[in-house]
Amino acid sequence: MSSNAGLAKSSARQSFFMLKGLRLEGAEIVNEKVVLSNKLESTLKVVYLRWIKNVEGVENEDSFKLPVYLNNDRRELLFSVSLRGMPPEEKDRFAQRGVCMVAAL
């Protein structure tokens, strides 16, 4: 990696925040994409997130809101992560299978 590429990557990450130890239930990461899985859960090493202001009521057709819960009982929703580039039929399968992220046990 050249030093310029390293600087660009570093400055891009400044607008993100990092979370460690999140668990993904009902799906896993394959080739940097979230895909359905028969695994109950998979631990995510590091997740980079950034807040994006969304106009109320405007939703991208190709995005899916993945809920992030405080713990396994799923009573406390912390926030939702918008996954982009997802076909409508895949969004339905994610919702039906209850795919989510969990922050703690």
Side-chain angles (χ1 to χ4, degrees), residues 9-77:
K9 196 172 193 176
S10 173
S11 64
R13 285 208 175 139
Q14 288 177 0
S15 63
F16 291 77
F17 61 97
M18 179 179 67
L19 296 174
K20 291 182 179 182
L22 287 175
R23 289 176 294 115
L24 186 58
E25 295 188 353
E28 62 185 326
I29 306 291
V30 176
N31 297 325
E32 297 185 12
K33 291 196 73 113
V34 180
V35 297
L36 290 174
S37 172
N38 289 328
K39 293 180 181 179
L40 291 178
E41 66 180 34
S42 57
T43 301
L44 306 174
K45 292 180 182 177
V46 176
V47 176
Y48 291 94
L49 301 173
R50 70 180 169 136
W51 297 112
I52 299 174
K53 185 174 181 176
N54 191 12
V55 177
E56 194 66 35
V58 175
E59 185 69 32
N60 289 337
E61 288 184 18
D62 69 339
S63 68
F64 174 75
K65 286 195 173 195
L66 184 70
V68 180
Y69 293 102
L70 178 61
N71 53 35
N72 280 347
D73 67 16
R74 298 186 181 195
R75 291 184 187 168
E76 298 290 330
L77 177 67

